[in-house]
Amino acid sequence: MNALVSSQVAGDGRVHVSLSELIALRSRVARLRLPPRDSRATHVGAQSSRLYGRGMDYAESRAYQPGDDVRRLDWRLTARSGRLHTKLFQEEREGQLLILMDQHASMRFGTRVRFKSVQAARAAALAAWYAVRAGERVGLMMFGGNAHLQRPRGGTRGALDVCGALVRCDASPTDHEESLSQAFQRAIRLQQNANRVLLISDGQSADDAARDRMLELMRHTALRVLIVADALELEAVPAGHYPIEHHGQRHNLALETKMQRDAFQKSLGAGQAKLKAMAQSLGVPCRVMDTTADPLDSTAALLLEAGVRR
């Protein structure tokens, strides 16, 4: 009994989130090759924030002064005015990533390798390590089951804070219900000036009002969507009888005919299909990842994807 309790507290990486695994993911991100050129995130307004580290942004031009770097000459203004002018640059604002994490009870489900909640936590940790390596601050907002907010913070401490919050919230779930539209609305109020938001969800909380709130959030920040799905939600299972457990009660699910299997798969996958369609209709970069996949590829690809301007 003590060994079982200890395993659950430490996290087994299958049903419970493992802190040691989340921290170890840092080494995998460290081996990634970041693009050699600066890439800009698309968001509303004249401001722009580079995805990879800090750099220098053009501020204004002034008349050339002895000692100025000739490589910074503003040739267009010089040609128009007939006098040498130098470009002045200022340090860019530090980028911020806010991870919007679904913690509804539907996430605590899995038939292959691990629960969706565990896979989602792995993806969130990878995103955090990726962001801080790129010189960004990273924060975390939970919804459904927990309303925890981890304010954006830079450096290794920021990623460690996210990892710790993921483990604590996984170990102490609550019955707090929050639709996706409500979560978006809260994110708009609490986005902490994040120029990017990564939503990680199975889509089961997606309601009809979520599309309008998603569009509103896109006016403030660049949004990415990572959908976590179980194999049963993506394709019909073979015919047979399946033991399932719900609220501590064991049941035997009979799926013998093709109609039964298709209806069961469609019902389970309705949430992720709805969220995917919603994101695609607004041009939001979106990826679907099952619980057996390596989350690194999907997470890194989403953080690199440009998306559309609204």
Side-chain angles (χ1 to χ4, degrees), residues 137-264:
R137 298 166 67 85
V138 61
L140 176 70
M141 192 193 100
M142 303 284 199
F143 71 99
N146 200 299
H148 176 81
L149 174 67
Q150 189 74 43
R151 298 188 183 280
R153 189 172 183 179
T156 301
R157 186 71 259 172
L160 288 174
D161 285 349
V162 168
C163 292
L166 289 168
V167 173
R168 290 193 301 273
C169 292
D170 178 78
S172 57
T174 68
D175 295 327
H176 176 74
E177 291 294 325
E178 188 175 16
S179 68
L180 186 56
S181 63
Q182 292 172 326
F184 280 147
Q185 197 163 8
R186 187 158 60 94
I188 292 169
R189 296 196 311 268
L190 304 175
Q191 63 180 299
Q192 305 294 307
N193 296 318
N195 59 296
R196 292 194 294 162
V197 171
L198 174 64
L199 168 66
I200 304 178
S201 171
D202 64 356
Q204 298 296 338
S205 61
D207 53 337
D208 292 338
R211 188 182 186 279
D212 289 340
R213 298 290 80 76
M214 179 183 287
L215 182 59
E216 185 178 354
L217 179 62
M218 290 169 62
R219 296 191 180 103
H220 299 271
T221 185
L223 178 64
R224 306 288 181 267
V225 176
L226 179 59
I227 300 173
V228 183
D230 183 77
L232 287 182
E233 298 170 343
L234 298 176
E235 58 184 25
V237 299
H241 290 253
Y242 295 88
I244 61 173
E245 183 173 329
H246 183 63
H247 292 312
Q249 299 293 320
R250 290 186 174 273
H251 305 275
N252 187 42
L253 180 65
L255 298 174
E256 309 224 349
T257 68
K258 185 177 185 304
M259 183 178 294
Q260 287 176 327
R261 300 197 305 275
D262 288 345
F264 180 71

Side-chain angles (χ1 to χ4, degrees), residues 77 117 260 284:
L77 183 55
S117 55
Q260 287 176 327
V284 176

